Amino acid sequence: MHKTRAIKDRLFTLYILTTSTLALIPVLHLIFVIVIRGFDSFVEGGIKFLTDVPPTPLSTELGGIGPSLLGTLILTATSLPITILIAFFAAVLANEFPNNPISKTVDIISRSFTSIPTIVVSMTVYLLVVVPMRTYSAIASSIALTIIALPYAYAITSAAIRQVPLMYREAAYSLGMTRWTTIYKVVVPITRRMLSGCVLITMARIMGETAALMFTAGRFRTGISLQLDRPIDAIPLLIFDYALTPYPILHKVAWGAALLLIIIYFIIFLAVKTIVKEVKL
Amino acid sequence: MNNLIHAVELRNVSIFIGKTPIIKDVNIEIPTNTVYVIMGPSGSGKTTILRLISRLIDLVPEVTVSGTAKVLGMDVLKVNPYVLRRHVGMVFQTPNPFPHMSIYDNVAIAAKINGVAANKEELDEVVKSALTKAMLWDEVKDRLKDYPHTLSGGQKQRLCLARALAMKPKLLLLDEPTASIDPVNARKIEEVIKTLKDEITVIMVTHSPHQAARVGEYVALIYNGGVIEQGSVRDMFLNPRTEFASRFLRGEI
Amino acid sequence: MVNNKVIAITAIAVVVIAVVTGVITLQTRTTQPTATITQTITQTVTQTVTRTVTQSPQTVTVTVTTTLTPTTPSTPSIRGLTLNGAGATFPYPQIMEWIKKFYNRTGASINYQPVGSGAGLSQFFQNVTDFACSDPPLKRSDWEKYRGNVMQVPFIVGAVVVVYNIPELPTGYNLKLSGEVIAKIYKGEIRFWDDDAIKMLNSDVANRLPRKEIIGVYRSDSSGTTEVFTTYLNKAAPNIWGKDLVGKTVDWPIAKVGRGVGGSGNPGVTQAVQATPYSIGYVEWSFAITNKLQMAMVSNKDGNYLLPSEASLKDALRMINMPKSPLDDFSHTLEEVVYAPGPNTYPITSPSYIIMWRTYTAKEKALALSEFLKWLAIDGYRDVVPGYVAPPEEVIKLLTTASDILRQ
């Protein structure tokens, strides 16, 4: 009897390991393909791949993805902080006042909006921002990205704050801390690992979003633009446009761009994971 | 406030959660500078009384309180809760040191919030004296920068005690502090409690009559939201007035 | 218990965010793109000075008459200006080339959004973009609405090719397929590659044609390419391929008999044909060239079998009753160019139109656009991307005319 239990246990462990690996294989394969195909572009382009303008079908040189890279960085730098701040603020409030009708509404809305089709957001922001401004812009793109990223950020932050055990709050109150000091000095620091995870997930979402930029960004690829009220480009948009053409040189650039996006994200991911230490409850 | 006879006065206090009564028409007077024990079987409302005193009752939804409750001369329900809590320290049933702060910081934050220390040296002094009073200093003095998860349950609870003491409170509330602690640490904590009464009024909740006898000077027996008996420990234990008290003290309830 | 402080902080935060957004939007509306337009004007100045001296020393009257005669026409600088355009995905690769060359030459940027002809036109009419690019020209009704204010020029020409995947045939060989045969194939009526109808058109490889079922690949998404292709089928074989089967999306009969495969976009159809032996499909010429697909020679109105080429595409364009001015109506031209008469016309030719306003409130936009059209007419068609062909001379004239109109 004891033996069959042990065997069953081993079999089940094996089953879990196998299915988990199978689930991971598509992702690993994807990363593998991007690395193989994108690596060529890096080698051929060198450091200029990060600064030059993209090639055209008749180009002989590989060029680079300078404008798109800068655009992605600018858009991330503008949407990410705003998204995190709003989501954080809303999550804290919803947690402190759970019975408030506003908190309940925010909860319901954010849950339904996590699966909103992003092209719809793009069209809406187009009508609300691009048409009145009469131009594509980085602002319109940031707004679209923020709208799409907010429900995720809110859901994760809200879950993180909710799972802080009540007893730490009570301890803080018993010491004489006000509601907000408690949040700032006790609740938030305890969730720092989850919050940093939230920031990473939101950042991934923003950096990789394509449909949101379709009608809002403007695809400014001839040079560098730092103006927020003018057209801008982004790496996923470049990849999308170039992948749909039949020209090999444009495909090469697209693969290189995809690899670059993964590398940038991976670096930031590693940095955050090592710096923010786990809080052992 | 220093000339108060009673640290806590509860007159005709009733507490309802929604429609359910938790405390019914309770009258209690707790003198200053004693160890006052509130004891009774589980679910009798002892913790609720304690939470009323520190105003932590606010955290419970749909709660209504009637009657007069005075803590340290202040009307509990009308005073600013943060003002009240500065003078009331609390130790909870499950040890809850802040997991993201070092042992030193756990004690220091209590002092910093309440303005007990003016600079780094004074802070070090306050932390050391609080940890010493809680009989924890010798065990942690070499690892003040470590995190609480490296401590045992008993040590964690003494850390919470030190934290509460660093506030220099006038009133210390203990909610079944040794319920989840091993006997050796429990004894240590009881030792500490007995030394505190000269400066602080201690109110302790317990469901063990033996602990009440070891530690307390005055005691109130609570059952079903009402006070069955109250008085000095000697009186209650030698001459229990009610049948319920006798049975409880013998351990039959 | 909701703290009043909380409400106050929330309100302040909302107000701050609203104000900041409002300020930024307002700011962008009031600041127009500024660019320096420098013009060198040579003037001849004649001065006539009359002096009246009186006893009172203060009065001196000086009259100056100046006549300005500009001598050399100016070359204004458009460096730093941006033009925004949106429209069809089909001409995007050629537009990419133009954008780069024009920027290198003048320093003016063009941003193009390949979002489809329909979306491109709406964005143009909403005044978000400065020009649009559309595979079909403006409908008569739309043109009437903006008559006198809108200009069109068919500024680049492409083609739709019929491709196939028959391993038995050598890669250099081009199978001959008539419009009628293709229509029957997509209708499901011709089932095998060794059908007599196909053999008759290709006697030299008749014995190599295999007895395999034909798989018809089509566009699963809404597509202008489908529209052009089905227009050809309808014109070449109206009794087989009715008008109800013409359009951007089609209810493909071959799919109904289980021999159809849908591909998303030109890349999708290309991949499907490459991966499915014995399949047939239709793609833009640029995709057939770059992916080295087997191309079919299709029959034109005169009965000749042709591949797309610079000559055959230009000939098709010449068959259009081309309007004399870009301000005219072009709605009839699409019908005229597909299955056009002529010995050497490629029957599935597809031009793309640039659509722009006659006047722009921002003068520098008109200037930049005018310079672009002028440059196109002179230099733009020197290096054309494979798969695209320059329009014939009469169209180039239209470009120059449009450029001049914009300057007025």
Side-chain angles (χ1 to χ4, degrees), chain B residues 99-113:
Chain B
H100 60 290
M101 294 186 187
S102 66
I103 294 173
Y104 179 92
D105 285 330
N106 258 283
V107 184
I109 186 108
K112 278 197 249 181
I113 297 238

Side-chain angles (χ1 to χ4, degrees), chain A residues 99 166-181 184-190 192 277-281, chain B residues 51 56 59 61 82 85-86 88-90 92 94-101 106 109-110 113-114 147 149 156 163-164 167:
Chain A
N99 296 320
L166 184 61
M167 65 179 182
Y168 295 119
R169 293 224 195 146
E170 289 185 329
Y173 284 137
S174 76
L175 292 180
M177 290 200 217
T178 61
R179 191 196 275 277
W180 305 110
T181 322
Y184 172 63
K185 282 207 185 306
V186 175
V187 177
V188 170
I190 291 182
R192 66 179 176 225
K277 282 178 273 212
E278 176 90 45
V279 173
K280 294 197 179 66
L281 290 174
Chain B
R51 281 162 175 258
L56 273 186
L59 292 181
Y82 305 114
R85 288 183 196 144
R86 294 272 157 86
V88 178
M90 190 153 170
F92 297 80
T94 319
N96 52 12
F98 296 128
H100 60 290
M101 294 186 187
N106 258 283
I109 186 108
I113 297 238
N114 294 292
Y147 285 88
H149 68 86
K156 278 187 192 161
R163 181 176 64 187
M167 264 168 54

Side-chain angles (χ1 to χ4, degrees), chain C residues 355-390:
Chain C
I355 297 167
M356 43 206 162
W357 297 115
R358 181 203 191 136
T359 48
Y360 290 82
T361 31
K363 287 289 163 233
E364 56 271 6
K365 295 264 183 189
L367 182 62
L369 194 52
S370 164
E371 289 295 305
F372 176 62
L373 297 172
K374 194 163 80 166
W375 171 84
L376 259 190
I378 301 173
D379 265 339
Y381 299 101
R382 258 190 241 279
D383 303 298
V384 175
V385 177
Y388 301 92
V389 161

Side-chain angles (χ1 to χ4, degrees), chain B residues 33-55:
Chain B
N33 292 350
T34 62
V35 179
Y36 193 98
V37 178
I38 300 178
M39 66 179 184
S42 309
S44 40
K46 325 185 284 293
T47 308
T48 315
I49 296 180
L50 216 61
R51 281 162 175 258
L52 173 63
I53 298 175
S54 70
R55 216 25 214 283

Side-chain angles (χ1 to χ4, degrees), chain A residues 56-59 89 93 97 100 126-127 130-136 139 179-180 214-215 218-222 229-231 241-242 244-247 250, chain C residues 1-2 6 9 24-25 28-29 33 84 86 92-93 96-97 99-100 103 109 111-115 123 126-129 267 286-287 290 383 385-386 388:
Chain A
T56 53
L58 294 178
S59 295
F89 198 53
L93 281 183
F97 308 111
N100 194 311
Y126 169 78
L127 283 175
V130 177
V131 173
M133 275 176 75
R134 293 204 177 187
T135 175
Y136 307 105
I139 289 185
R179 191 196 275 277
W180 305 110
M214 196 57 97
F215 304 121
R219 298 168 165 90
F220 178 69
R221 287 181 193 142
T222 38
D229 57 344
R230 296 270 139 240
D241 287 347
Y242 277 30
L244 290 180
T245 66
Y247 303 96
L250 300 183
Chain C
M1 295 191 301
V2 179
V6 172
I9 296 179
I24 296 179
T25 334
T28 54
R29 262 208 248 171
N84 293 316
Y92 183 46
M96 263 197 248
E97 277 295 332
I99 291 176
K100 182 162 88 165
Y103 179 75
S109 310
N111 304 321
Y112 184 73
Q113 328 294 314
V115 290
Q123 298 196 359
Q126 282 164 332
N127 288 311
V128 172
T129 48
S286 51
F287 277 85
T290 47
D383 303 298
V385 177
Y388 301 92

